[in-house]
Amino acid sequence: MVGTDLRQQLNNYIQSMRDQGILDNQFQSVQALKTEENPHFVLETVTGFCNDADNGIAQMTRYLEGPVVDFTNLTGLSHFLRGSSSSIGGIRMALACRDLRRASEANNKQGCIEGMARLKHEYNSLKEGLNNISQIERQMIGNAQRGRQ
Amino acid sequence: MFGKGASSSKSMEIIGSEKKISVLIVDDDPIIRKIHSALLSKFTKEIQEVKNGKEAVDLCRSGASFDIIFIDKEMPIMNGLEATKELRAMGVNSTIVGVTSCDLSSERNDFIAAGQNQCYEKPLTIEKIKSLLSELNKNN
């Protein structure tokens, strides 16, 4: 059955992301919050997170690459993204945010440059995976809606 | 741990009972608010959200009351510690629970000194909430 195949495909994909350490079991906790009344929950959460992360990382890059590094705002924003990435299960990204924050709190420009590069790398891996998950979710929602018509 | 937090004059909803718990989520991250709200909706329908400590203080000052306030530590305008001190100074006796991305062991004393009843590292989970509600039951 198509629905079962998609569900299995999604589970397998999420497991592969967990095996790579990109996601931890928090993502499944987020999935468990999806209900019949709110079938778009995972999709909305993932989309919202990626929008915030895109904007946040672009802003942090500006803070870092300015004539004078804005360590204060860089610290605040890396902390902010740590919270949201950990809440969606993006454990490696959360750790990268933590390390970037530590470098920023120490006013360590080189550490921040390296930390920022690592954060971008981890976010790109996470985002790619979340985009693939979102694609499957959309198919599942579409199938469910067609099934009800 | 839950001193005069949840007043007996309020009805409380705990798992399997008829009483209702009212909660306030205070966090500047809309994704965190969304996830925590969905999580808490498994236990209660009486949920409000605000995005910083000042909004929480203003809401309580306007007369709103809550059994539990989940409050982030680092927020713009007014952070969680400042808001907690303000709420306690106003006489708010809700159970206040700090929720932080920071290293909890180093932050715990700050939270308790500010007047919080409990603190958790983000993210909140079903297990943490059940544990919290169980403690609340025990103390009431």
Side-chain angles (χ1 to χ4, degrees):
Chain A
M1 228 170 125
V2 174
T4 308
D5 289 342
L6 278 177
R7 169 63 59 189
Q8 192 59 51
Q9 189 182 338
L10 181 64
N11 289 343
N12 290 346
Y13 192 78
I14 290 168
Q15 186 57 48
S16 78
M17 287 183 73
R18 290 188 61 182
D19 291 342
Q20 294 173 70
I22 297 172
L23 285 178
D24 64 13
N25 59 7
Q26 174 60 19
F27 187 77
Q28 283 165 302
S29 300
V30 173
Q31 279 185 296
L33 298 174
K34 179 178 171 179
T35 61
E36 274 191 19
E37 294 79 27
N38 191 4
H40 296 89
F41 182 82
V42 174
L43 207 49
E44 288 170 355
T45 303
V46 165
T47 303
F49 166 74
C50 289
N51 286 341
D52 287 350
D54 285 339
N55 291 335
I57 287 173
Q59 188 62 46
M60 287 199 290
T61 303
R62 286 192 284 275
Y63 291 145
L64 190 52
E65 293 180 353
V68 178
V69 177
D70 186 344
F71 288 111
T72 303
N73 279 317
L74 189 55
T75 297
L77 210 30
S78 57
H79 175 74
F80 181 92
L81 284 182
R82 179 187 176 183
S84 51
S85 55
S86 70
S87 289
I88 204 165
I91 182 66
R92 289 214 319 236
M93 179 177 167
L95 291 173
C97 289
R98 180 201 63 185
D99 292 345
L100 175 56
R101 178 181 171 148
R102 286 175 178 169
S104 183
E105 282 177 323
N107 291 359
N108 176 355
K109 182 173 179 177
Q110 187 54 37
C112 287
I113 290 170
E114 291 165 6
M116 195 72 221
R118 181 173 148 225
L119 171 56
K120 285 178 178 175
H121 172 78
E122 296 301 346
Y123 174 57
N124 286 338
S125 299
L126 177 61
K127 184 177 180 180
E128 185 184 340
L130 291 177
N131 283 342
N132 291 337
I133 287 169
S134 294
Q135 204 168 341
I136 303 172
E137 279 280 330
R138 278 190 205 96
Q139 288 176 31
M140 289 169 63
I141 291 168
N143 288 348
Q145 286 171 344
R146 281 190 290 276
R148 280 196 288 272
Q149 286 166 0
Chain B
M1 184 190 293
F2 296 99
K4 23 183 191 175
S7 151
S8 57
S9 66
K10 296 194 189 71
S11 54
M12 295 182 16
E13 181 180 273
I14 38 186
I15 305 165
S17 93
E18 294 302 314
K19 301 174 186 172
K20 293 183 181 177
I21 281 181
S22 56
V23 304
L24 175 64
I25 297 169
V26 190
D27 201 301
D28 58 332
D29 187 340
I31 299 300
I32 302 275
R33 292 198 304 271
K34 184 181 180 71
I35 292 173
H36 287 178
S37 182
L39 199 58
L40 287 161
S41 68
K42 291 181 179 294
F43 300 91
T44 179
K45 297 304 172 194
E46 295 192 24
I47 301 171
Q48 287 191 54
E49 304 173 24
V50 292
K51 53 183 189 291
N52 60 57
K54 183 176 187 305
E55 289 188 7
V57 167
D58 290 345
L59 189 56
C60 290
R61 188 168 279 131
S62 73
S65 64
F66 303 94
D67 291 295
I68 309 176
I69 299 175
F70 291 94
I71 191 161
D72 184 19
K73 181 174 181 245
E74 297 201 16
M75 295 177 287
I77 303 177
M78 185 185 286
N79 66 37
L81 297 182
E82 291 165 353
T84 299
K85 288 174 188 170
E86 187 88 19
L87 289 168
R88 292 303 191 212
M90 283 162 54
V92 170
N93 58 9
S94 308
T95 296
I96 300 180
V97 179
V99 187
T100 179
S101 305
C102 299
D103 177 14
L104 190 58
S105 56
S106 65
E107 304 294 338
R108 185 177 291 275
N109 288 341
D110 291 342
F111 283 134
I112 303 302
Q116 292 180 3
N117 302 96
Q118 178 59 289
C119 45
Y120 291 115
E121 202 168 333
K122 284 181 186 175
L124 283 178
T125 61
I126 294 271
E127 290 70 30
K128 287 173 185 173
I129 295 170
K130 281 182 181 174
S131 162
L132 180 73
L133 293 177
S134 170
E135 279 291 332
L136 216 57
N137 280 346
K138 227 185 284 182
N139 289 312
N140 287 288

